Amino acid sequence: METAIQAIDIEPVNILQEQLTGMARAAVTMLPQILVALLVIVVTALLAHGARWLLKRGLKRTGLRPSLQELFVMLLGIAIWVLGFMIAAVVMFPSLTPASMLAGLGIGTVAIGFAFKDIFENFLAGIIILFRKEMRTGDFIECEGIEGRVERISVRETHIRRTDGQLIIVPNAMLFTNPLRIVTDLELRRITIIAGVAYGEDVDEARSVIRKAVEGCETVVRNAARPIQIFAQEFADSSINFEVTWWTGSKPVDERKSRDEVIASVKRALDTAGIEIPFPYRTLTFKEPLPLIRGANAENAEGQDE
């Protein structure tokens, strides 16, 4: 009985020892292959670094946008690393073939795609945005309430610096799937303000005074292709309103400077010409006449109020 118990206790130990011994022998047998695979990885790293450096130097002479140059350099590095890992895997496991590796890579890509759907969506959107000509680094844009200057476009996200200094990191999918307003797509943009004059003033004279005031502003563009336009727009509650339109720089700071200069100039010109800019008037009409309190009744009413 004791002999049987000892045999049962020793048997699992022997099995484990045999397994460890077999694994050690396999590791020693595969040691040359592991060393060669590590050498392939090292060579791949050197090749990827050198290829990226050469491509970066070559792309600088092409005049491509910096963000697009970074994309090409990154894709080249990814391609070299994928090829290097495939060669290292074949060296370590000779039974693997390029066809089986590609098949496994395809299945793995589908699984990874489902797991990281948002990341790949932003990645593809970033590539498309980088190939666009309409949005460049330095442009002022507005999308879904986010407005600012584009500082950097990567394959996954875009960095937008607001005019108050805050940095907003926006996923590229958001910029790709939503309407995007590019403020600085052109060097010039049109600005419109409303200027009102009193009903008792001469409309033609007021229009002429406003036009001269706008034409005298330094920030206003004056040419035939970008004319200054002034139209009587409507009969408002207390004034006749003019729509005043002109062209200036497209940057937000250019717009603010020009708007400030034009409003100040129009105000001075209308005051100098004696043309009234009216305050809002309100006329109150009561359904029944209000009683007037005079004399002693008024004094009594004042005493009651005190």
Side-chain angles (χ1 to χ4, degrees), residues 35-57:
L35 293 177
V36 174
L38 291 176
L39 180 61
V40 170
I41 296 299
V42 173
V43 173
T44 300
L46 295 176
L47 286 176
H49 179 75
R52 287 199 301 262
W53 182 77
L54 290 174
L55 182 62
K56 189 179 295 185
R57 288 194 59 184

Side-chain angles (χ1 to χ4, degrees), residues 228-271:
I228 298 171
Q229 296 176 327
I230 302 173
F231 301 103
Q233 185 190 49
E234 63 177 346
F235 294 99
D237 294 339
S238 305
S239 62
I240 295 177
N241 288 340
F242 287 93
E243 182 184 75
V244 183
T245 301
W246 72 96
W247 291 80
T248 188
S250 59
K251 296 181 180 179
V253 65
D254 296 335
E255 176 191 357
R256 293 198 296 271
K257 287 181 179 179
S258 185
R259 190 183 295 271
D260 173 79
E261 184 185 15
V262 169
I263 290 176
S265 179
V266 170
K267 174 66 167 57
R268 282 194 304 269
L270 292 176
D271 290 343

Side-chain angles (χ1 to χ4, degrees), residues 64-222:
L64 290 175
R65 288 177 289 169
S67 55
L68 203 56
Q69 295 179 20
E70 292 180 6
L71 173 63
F72 289 141
V73 171
M74 185 194 68
L75 292 178
L76 177 63
I78 292 175
I80 294 176
W81 273 107
V82 169
L83 182 61
F85 277 117
M86 291 178 65
I87 295 174
V90 171
V91 170
M92 286 189 63
F93 307 100
S95 60
L96 286 177
T97 61
S100 61
M101 292 183 64
L102 291 175
L105 184 62
I107 296 174
T109 303
V110 173
I112 294 173
F114 279 110
F116 301 96
K117 174 180 175 297
D118 293 338
I119 295 177
F120 282 106
E121 182 181 7
N122 290 321
F123 181 81
L124 294 176
I127 293 178
I128 296 174
I129 289 175
L130 287 171
F131 277 99
R132 279 181 177 173
K133 296 181 179 180
E134 288 77 13
M135 190 178 78
R136 303 170 297 274
T137 302
D139 277 337
F140 283 85
I141 66 171
E142 190 276 329
C143 181
E144 294 295 301
I146 299 174
E147 185 172 1
R149 180 179 179 272
V150 177
E151 283 197 344
R152 183 172 180 269
I153 304 174
S154 66
V155 293
R156 199 184 73 83
E157 61 195 18
T158 297
H159 296 185
I160 299 177
R161 181 75 64 178
R162 293 178 50 178
T163 54
D164 59 3
Q166 298 183 51
L167 178 65
I168 302 178
I169 299 177
V170 181
N172 286 330
M174 176 181 173
L175 299 177
F176 182 71
T177 58
N178 292 289
L180 178 66
R181 184 168 68 95
I182 303 176
V183 179
T184 53
D185 182 59
L186 298 176
E187 294 183 357
L188 300 176
R189 63 183 300 190
R190 191 175 68 176
I191 309 297
T192 299
I193 63 171
I194 302 299
V197 301
Y199 275 96
E201 305 295 343
D202 184 84
V203 173
D204 294 330
E205 181 185 359
R207 183 190 296 108
S208 177
V209 170
I210 294 173
R211 179 177 294 277
K212 290 180 181 178
V214 177
E215 290 176 348
C217 296
E218 295 181 357
T219 58
V220 175
V221 176
R222 293 177 292 274

